[in-house]
Amino acid sequence: MATFLESSYSLVHQDNAADTPTLQELRTALEKGSDESKIETMKRTLTIMLNGNAMPDLLMHIIRFVMPSKSKALKKLLYMYYEVCPKLDANGKLKQEMILVCNGIRMDLQHANEYIRGNTLRFLTKLREPELIEPLLAPARQCLEHRHSYVRKNAVFAIASIYQHSESLMPDAPELIQAFLESESDNTCKRNAFAALLGISHEKALEYLSGVFEGIPNASELLQLVELEFIRKDAVQNQGNKARYLRLIFDLLEAKESTVVYEAASSLTALTTNPVAVKAAAAKFIELAIKESDNNVKLIVLEKVNQLRKTNVGILDDLTMEILRVLSSPDLDVRRKSLELAMDMVSSKNVEEVVLLLKKELSKTVDEQYEKNNEYRSLLIHSIHQCAIKFSEVAQSVVGLLMEFIADFNNASAVDVITFVKEVVEKFPKLRSSIVERLVATLGEVRAGKVYRGSLWIVGEYSLEESDIQGAWKRIRASLGEIPIVASEARLLEEQPNGDAPPVEQVNGHAKPAAPTGSRKVLADGTYATESALTSQASAKAKLDAVKAAQKPPLRQLILDGDYYLATVLSSTLTKLVMRHSEISSDERRTNALRAEAMLIMISIVRAGQSPFVKAPIDEDSIDRIMSCVRSLAEFSQKKDLEVAFLEDTRKAFRAMVQVEEKSRAEKDALTKAQTAIQVDDNISIRQFSKKSAVDGAEEISQDLEKATAGDDTSATKNLTSKLSRVVQLTGFSDPVYAEAYVQVNQFDIILDVLLVNQTRETLQNMSVEFATLGDLKVVERPVTQNLPALDFLNVQATIKVSSTDTGVIFGNVVYDGAHSTDTQVVILNDVHVDIMDYIVPAHCTETQFRSMWTEFEWENKVNINAKMGKGKGLRDFLARLMAVTNMSCLTPEASLGGECQFLSANLYARSVFGEDALANLSVEQEGDNGPVTGFMRIRSRSQGLALSLGSLKALAKIGETA
């Protein structure tokens, strides 16, 4: 067993240290109480002892009043007490009372009840004093032959522990356990015996394994697991056995138990890098991911496959389709992991099969309802996008399929598809004509404004043939309905019957004729009906609402619903189509007709936006944009710069954006390759020439366990300067007790290492440090009460658990007894504020995810910015400093931030270690070269605490000072 586990210990939380019973109260409870009350007393005693008070004077009372009890629960607590109680006196010799303890243990080892025997044997494995162990050897040996397996399996470990720590007391333990192993029939006992033999005698374990080698594939699951552990260690020491071990491991890959298959596959990859073996192990990992129902297991084995892929490049590419079988799991995290792994392994040989399977999965998201269906669909679209960009041969079929689903997808998924189509149509010129044709055909089915905007932009930018322009024009015209919009809507209003009538159907702007309204209305008493002005207004409003609710073509409906951004994109598209038609066609009459119709449509949209038929009036920016398109159509024949701006500059801007994305992808791939690359001057490890050491390979598992339990000494190498910067002064220099704390932040907790200095010339009795918290903090380990001599110092620790990034404050005081027992002296401590930056890390997300979260999050903190920058410092320097202060990453592309400007806008993003998202939008400007930076930063998060904490950082106000 690893040495770091020898010093492991238990922590038992004591809720209220002030409510500790006195020694006399505990003695009375043990003397006079029943077994139930003694159990509670023993629990309180153990809690006090584990929190620092050894209570040596209680030993004799426990021997007298607890040891004779027949209660099993009390007996278990008794052995816990024996484990932690001091067994040696001040001279280092065994206490006299321990003779009575030893006699009680000996009687329990011969007890008729198997539970008491087994529990006593478990205690024996933790006993280290040879004087106590020696009288217990004979009954411990006898327990190996007990009728009950519970006693025998614990007896094996007890004997192995005695041999490990006091070999002279039982020198024949390896032979004894080997003989027991050969005669034992119980699987758990055999497993424990082999594990014990492995720990105390490698040679005896190898001798036994050689004798039963052929029967290992048919052994029990527990025995197979411990034998695999031995094989991994022995294969490093005895290279001659490696080939035989590999054949056995290949046989164990076909075992029925998943745990055995997992360990066999892990052992196989640890012992060899042969491509056949690596592929076989990976195939078994993938099979486990498909077969096992536990999502955690699926994620673990998929990560194993990912590690194998990184270290064995290209070998596992044939297993891509097998990995995609894991998509049958309903859990989104498992699906995401599977898709990420498959996308890293896809190649030109299997890309068509991969895309075909992804198409089927995408169809299922439309036909069937999954848990988190929309997120899964976005993952599939993103994966298909990656395949199409990497391998152009599948781009055409992929784009065609995705565009078929545009009308069925929800808004977010359809926007992802349009974004993908934009990139494909730019990168693959040969596909432009077919893509534009398919896209134009779907315009009548689109219902989302964002999707329509993207589609119109693609149509306007890449309709390069006369036939494409004419086809696109017809579809757009059909989607708009009758023009002018206001005139057709007004006619519908006039034709609308009085009173409540069903909405009028309108197809392409033409309304069905209304039924005749009849003559004047006669009431039940024979008089004519009359109406007031209010009734008339209500009737007019009802008629107008009926016209608004009438069914209309999609593009017309979106514009009348108030989507004027779409109207500006439509105007720009129509302008581009007219300009391109004039370039490629010699038919001037046709060009002029298109120009006139485009102008009519644009003016009609402006008038409609100012009419009562829309849900919201048109804004001035949209009017300006539409009217600039009208002027451009009127003047582009004389001013060629307008054609360059509309037909070339927009394409160049988009091409530059695509190139930036490609560059970022290439940099990311290069970084990934660099992490796994082997340098030409790296040492080559040749196993045959290296010094034989069991530590190199045999102790890999122990080393991993040691790192997982923080058994390594990496903490000793931390920079002393960073430690000093985290020291917080808690009291003043003139206080009787000076206190300062080093605040050590781990991932989910804070450790306060408090230094206490007694500045008086008197001993401070029963001194304790009490901490309390404000916010999502909880004190889980309190410092124990101590006596502090005159002018002496003491270090105590307190552990505080952190559950969120809300602002937290730790406050407390130092309490100690005064000159009289009734006096209590209190020193108030300064507050310790938790630094939120310890829990915020930079992160990245897509623009779509950022916008979605920005809309969803309800807590916003608007921070005013007014910073004086240093000489020669600009807005980019301010942004860099802000990112360093807030631990946020910039999502705005570098291309968008380039150039010199007096205004800067950027999106920032970070995540906390608790999974909380923090979004920020920065909008600042600088007056002159050395003027102050002014503006706002809007911070949004799901919780109020995170938004407020980020906005109240002191460093935000000091950015200008330090820049």
Side-chain angles (χ1 to χ4, degrees):
M1 190 174 288
T3 54
F4 71 94
L5 287 178
E6 298 294 330
S7 58
S8 61
Y9 55 91
S10 301
L11 281 178
V12 178
H13 176 50
Q14 188 174 4
D15 291 328
N16 189 359
D19 194 24
T20 304
T22 62
L23 182 64
Q24 188 57 44
E25 289 173 348
L26 292 173
R27 283 175 174 171
T28 305
L30 291 173
E31 287 177 17
K32 301 180 180 179
S34 61
D35 280 351
E36 288 74 17
S37 66
K38 286 180 181 179
I39 288 173
E40 291 303 317
T41 305
M42 285 296 293
K43 286 181 179 179
R44 297 184 74 180
T45 303
L46 287 169
T47 302
I48 295 168
M49 292 177 68
L50 288 171
N51 279 276
N53 190 348
M55 304 189 75
D57 298 334
L58 204 60
L59 175 60
M60 200 61 210
H61 266 68
I62 289 177
I63 293 173
R64 287 175 58 196
F65 300 107
V66 178
M67 194 167 71
S69 173
K70 295 182 180 179
S71 168
K72 294 184 178 64
L74 200 54
K75 187 74 74 174
K76 185 174 182 178
L77 290 170
L78 174 66
Y79 280 107
M80 286 183 181
Y81 172 79
Y82 286 161
E83 185 182 340
V84 299
C85 75
K87 304 173 185 65
L88 306 178
D89 58 19
N91 299 321
K93 294 183 179 180
L94 198 69
K95 289 184 177 181
Q96 295 297 322
E97 296 93 331
M98 298 311 292
I99 298 173
L100 299 173
V101 172
C102 184
N103 188 47
I105 296 172
R106 183 182 176 85
M107 291 174 63
D108 285 342
L109 285 174
Q110 297 171 336
H111 201 280
N113 184 280
E114 62 273 6
Y115 171 77
I116 292 179
R117 277 205 191 196
N119 187 53
T120 310
L121 286 164
R122 291 180 69 178
F123 164 72
L124 204 57
T125 61
K126 302 169 185 176
L127 206 55
R128 300 290 179 266
E129 289 74 21
E131 299 91 337
L132 274 177
I133 295 174
E134 190 170 2
L136 308 175
L137 295 178
R141 283 174 178 266
Q142 292 172 5
C143 288
L144 285 175
E145 301 171 2
H146 193 270
R147 59 180 176 79
H148 203 283
S149 61
Y150 180 73
V151 177
R152 297 198 303 273
K153 74 177 185 180
N154 285 301
V156 169
F157 277 149
I159 288 172
S161 176
I162 292 170
Y163 179 82
Q164 274 184 318
H165 298 97
S166 304
E167 185 177 340
S168 59
L169 294 179
M170 194 177 284
D172 61 336
E175 292 79 9
L176 188 65
I177 294 177
Q178 186 179 8
F180 171 81
L181 193 55
E182 291 172 352
S183 61
E184 182 59 51
S185 59
D186 183 79
N187 290 328
T188 306
C189 293
K190 291 180 76 172
R191 180 261 171 205
N192 284 11
F194 189 78
L197 195 59
L198 165 63
I200 63 175
S201 176
H202 189 90
E203 293 75 15
K204 291 293 181 184
L206 180 59
E207 184 182 331
Y208 170 78
L209 189 75
S210 302
V212 298
F213 194 82
E214 300 302 326
I216 290 177
N218 300 319
S220 67
E221 175 188 359
L222 293 173
L223 198 55
Q224 284 176 338
L225 291 173
V226 73
E227 285 168 344
L228 276 171
E229 181 186 344
F230 174 78
I231 285 170
R232 287 181 65 170
K233 294 181 178 180
D234 188 61
V236 178
Q237 297 183 19
N238 302 306
Q239 294 291 328
N241 296 335
K242 190 172 181 179
R244 190 167 63 139
Y245 288 155
L246 289 175
R247 287 195 296 272
L248 171 64
I249 292 174
F250 268 105
D251 291 340
L252 290 178
L253 285 177
E254 306 302 324
K256 296 179 181 178
E257 294 82 7
S258 299
T259 51
V260 176
V261 173
Y262 178 83
E263 287 299 329
S266 300
S267 301
L268 192 60
T269 56
L271 296 181
T272 180
T273 56
N274 183 284
V276 176
V278 170
K279 202 169 181 179
K284 284 299 173 182
F285 282 136
I286 296 169
E287 185 181 319
L288 287 176
I290 298 168
K291 184 172 66 174
E292 287 298 312
S293 58
D294 191 333
N295 293 327
N296 294 319
V297 173
K298 291 177 185 287
L299 292 170
I300 289 169
V301 295
L302 285 175
E303 182 57 33
K304 277 278 189 181
V305 176
N306 191 30
Q307 292 173 1
L308 289 177
R309 177 194 64 80
K310 290 177 180 177
T311 53
N312 302 273
V313 180
I315 293 176
L316 305 183
D317 288 356
D318 294 340
L319 298 175
T320 307
M321 294 303 294
E322 293 296 313
I323 287 174
L324 288 175
R325 288 176 59 197
V326 184
L327 292 177
S328 57
S329 169
D331 186 73
L332 187 65
D333 291 326
V334 174
R335 287 171 165 173
R336 181 183 288 108
K337 186 73 175 176
S338 174
L339 284 171
E340 287 174 359
L341 188 54
M343 290 304 103
D344 289 332
M345 294 168 60
V346 70
S347 64
S348 56
K349 292 187 292 185
N350 56 25
V351 65
E352 292 185 359
E353 294 178 86
V354 170
V355 168
L356 189 62
L357 189 143
L358 294 178
K359 285 179 182 178
K360 291 180 181 177
E361 289 293 318
L362 197 58
S363 302
K364 289 180 184 177
T365 65
V366 177
D367 302 334
E368 304 172 19
Q369 286 300 316
Y370 291 98
E371 181 188 0
K372 298 185 177 179
N373 200 29
N374 296 334
E375 291 90 336
Y376 181 42
R377 185 185 296 155
S378 296
L379 287 175
L380 290 171
I381 292 171
H382 180 67
S383 301
I384 293 173
H385 183 178
Q386 285 183 272
C387 290
I389 296 302
K390 281 186 183 177
F391 307 99
S392 58
E393 59 267 24
V394 299
Q396 186 170 6
S397 62
V398 164
V399 171
L401 170 95
L402 291 179
M403 286 197 292
E404 287 176 9
F405 287 119
I406 281 180
D408 297 325
F409 286 163
N410 67 342
N411 196 358
S413 300
V415 170
D416 288 342
V417 172
I418 288 297
T419 305
F420 160 56
V421 173
K422 277 185 182 180
E423 189 170 350
V424 170
V425 81
E426 173 59 36
K427 289 193 68 175
F428 306 112
K430 293 181 180 178
L431 303 179
R432 287 175 182 171
S433 180
S434 60
I435 289 176
V436 169
E437 185 180 344
R438 295 286 293 274
L439 199 57
V440 166
T442 60
L443 283 179
E445 302 170 5
V446 176
R447 294 292 181 271
K450 284 185 178 180
V451 181
Y452 233 118
R453 291 201 297 267
S455 303
L456 287 175
W457 186 89
I458 295 171
V459 169
E461 205 64 55
Y462 297 100
S463 295
L464 305 178
E465 302 294 332
E466 189 174 355
S467 58
D468 294 340
I469 295 173
Q470 291 177 1
W473 199 277
K474 288 179 182 177
R475 287 285 182 175
I476 293 171
R477 189 67 183 77
S479 294
L480 270 172
E482 186 181 351
I483 300 294
I485 297 175
V486 175
S488 61
E489 294 293 315
R491 189 175 65 251
L492 278 176
L493 183 63
E494 291 173 4
E495 294 174 355
Q496 186 71 19
N498 291 324
D500 297 331
V504 179
E505 284 194 9
Q506 180 188 18
V507 181
N508 290 343
H510 300 284
K512 293 182 178 180
T517 58
S519 57
R520 297 176 66 182
K521 191 171 184 179
V522 180
L523 298 178
D525 59 355
T527 59
Y528 290 113
T530 59
E531 61 178 3
S532 67
L534 291 175
T535 310
S536 178
Q537 289 176 6
S539 175
K541 188 176 184 301
K543 289 168 66 176
L544 184 60
D545 291 342
V547 171
K548 287 182 180 180
Q551 184 178 352
K552 299 179 179 67
L555 189 53
R556 187 190 191 99
Q557 184 68 58
L558 288 168
I559 293 172
L560 291 176
D561 285 345
D563 191 349
Y564 298 114
Y565 185 22
L566 173 60
T568 61
V569 174
L570 171 63
S571 303
S572 177
T573 300
L574 294 176
T575 305
K576 290 176 185 177
L577 292 177
V578 172
M579 289 180 176
R580 188 162 283 115
H581 188 274
S582 71
E583 274 191 355
I584 62 178
S585 173
S586 57
D587 189 352
E588 292 186 8
R589 292 182 62 189
R590 179 65 179 164
T591 302
N592 287 334
L594 291 177
R595 182 190 302 187
E597 190 171 8
M599 288 181 173
L600 177 63
I601 291 172
M602 295 179 203
I603 297 300
S604 175
I605 291 172
V606 172
R607 288 199 60 202
Q610 297 168 340
S611 72
F613 298 107
V614 293
K615 292 185 178 178
I618 189 169
D619 56 284
E620 292 184 6
D621 290 341
S622 298
I623 294 176
D624 289 345
R625 176 61 178 159
I626 294 172
M627 293 310 295
S628 71
C629 290
V630 172
R631 285 192 294 271
S632 300
L633 282 177
E635 300 171 0
F636 78 89
S637 300
Q638 293 81 24
K639 298 179 181 179
K640 294 300 180 184
D641 291 347
L642 291 172
E643 283 192 48
V644 173
F646 274 92
L647 301 182
E648 296 179 17
D649 290 350
T650 53
R651 179 103 49 95
K652 284 180 183 177
F654 180 65
R655 189 180 299 126
M657 196 169 78
V658 171
Q659 288 171 353
V660 168
E661 290 181 4
E662 285 182 358
K663 185 179 178 182
S664 65
R665 274 199 292 263
E667 288 174 352
K668 188 177 178 181
D669 293 341
L671 183 63
T672 306
K673 287 181 181 178
Q675 290 174 348
T676 57
I678 299 173
Q679 301 299 326
V680 291
D681 56 348
D682 284 353
N683 292 333
I684 300 175
S685 177
I686 302 175
R687 190 172 55 249
Q688 285 81 356
F689 295 160
S690 61
K691 183 169 62 175
K692 286 191 176 181
S693 172
V695 179
D696 293 342
E699 297 298 327
E700 286 181 3
I701 299 174
S702 300
Q703 291 169 7
D704 291 343
L705 182 60
E706 188 168 347
K707 288 179 181 178
T709 54
D712 57 355
D713 59 349
T714 55
S715 59
T717 62
K718 286 186 178 178
N719 192 354
L720 182 61
T721 308
S722 65
K723 281 190 173 184
L724 291 174
S725 66
R726 290 182 172 274
V727 173
V728 179
Q729 185 176 341
L730 300 179
T731 64
F733 292 112
S734 59
D735 286 322
V737 178
Y738 172 75
E740 65 181 26
Y742 163 55
V743 184
Q744 182 180 351
V745 178
N746 297 325
Q747 189 170 9
F748 296 112
D749 56 13
I750 298 171
I751 297 176
L752 292 180
D753 190 349
V754 183
L755 170 67
L756 301 170
V757 181
N758 182 358
Q759 301 195 112
T760 68
R761 297 187 178 277
E762 298 175 357
T763 299
L764 302 181
Q765 300 284 341
N766 296 327
M767 187 178 70
S768 64
V769 185
E770 299 174 352
F771 286 109
T773 58
L774 188 67
D776 287 337
L777 305 174
K778 182 181 179 182
V779 180
V780 294
E781 183 190 352
R782 301 174 188 275
V784 297
T785 302
Q786 304 271 5
N787 295 332
L788 188 57
L791 303 176
D792 201 355
F793 64 90
L794 175 70
N795 278 79
V796 295
Q797 284 191 344
T799 303
I800 290 131
K801 184 176 177 58
V802 186
S803 56
S804 81
T805 49
D806 288 358
T807 303
V809 180
I810 305 167
F811 53 92
N813 48 49
V814 177
V815 182
Y816 58 91
D817 293 345
H820 304 285
S821 58
T822 56
D823 293 343
T824 301
Q825 304 294 327
V826 179
V827 180
I828 307 297
L829 303 179
N830 291 333
D831 297 345
V832 178
H833 292 264
V834 177
D835 189 1
I836 186 180
M837 287 300 100
D838 294 323
Y839 301 97
I840 298 291
V841 292
H844 291 275
C845 67
T846 63
E847 183 183 356
T848 306
Q849 291 172 329
F850 183 90
R851 291 179 182 276
S852 173
M853 287 189 286
W854 187 266
T855 307
E856 179 185 351
F857 292 171
E858 57 184 8
W859 291 107
E860 178 175 311
N861 186 11
K862 190 173 183 180
V863 182
N864 293 327
I865 291 175
N866 190 351
K868 177 69 176 176
M869 302 297 290
K871 190 173 182 181
K873 301 288 185 179
L875 294 175
R876 293 295 299 276
D877 300 298
F878 178 85
L879 176 62
R881 179 63 186 162
L882 179 69
M883 289 164 58
V885 165
T886 58
N887 277 3
M888 302 185 89
S889 60
C890 182
L891 301 182
T892 306
E894 187 67 25
S896 302
L897 296 173
E900 292 298 325
C901 180
Q902 291 185 336
F903 179 82
L904 184 143
S905 179
N907 290 334
L908 308 175
Y909 177 61
R911 279 177 71 86
S912 73
V913 295
F914 309 103
E916 299 168 309
D917 298 291
L919 314 176
N921 174 257
L922 176 69
S923 296
V924 290
E925 61 181 343
Q926 186 177 24
E927 297 178 6
D929 293 338
N930 298 317
V933 175
T934 57
F936 300 96
M937 183 170 73
R938 296 164 65 197
I939 303 169
R940 286 196 183 184
S941 68
R942 196 182 302 276
S943 63
Q944 182 185 19
L946 181 56
L948 293 177
S949 300
L950 271 175
S952 59
L953 288 175
K954 293 181 180 178
L956 281 178
K958 299 179 181 179
I959 291 180
E961 299 171 15
T962 55

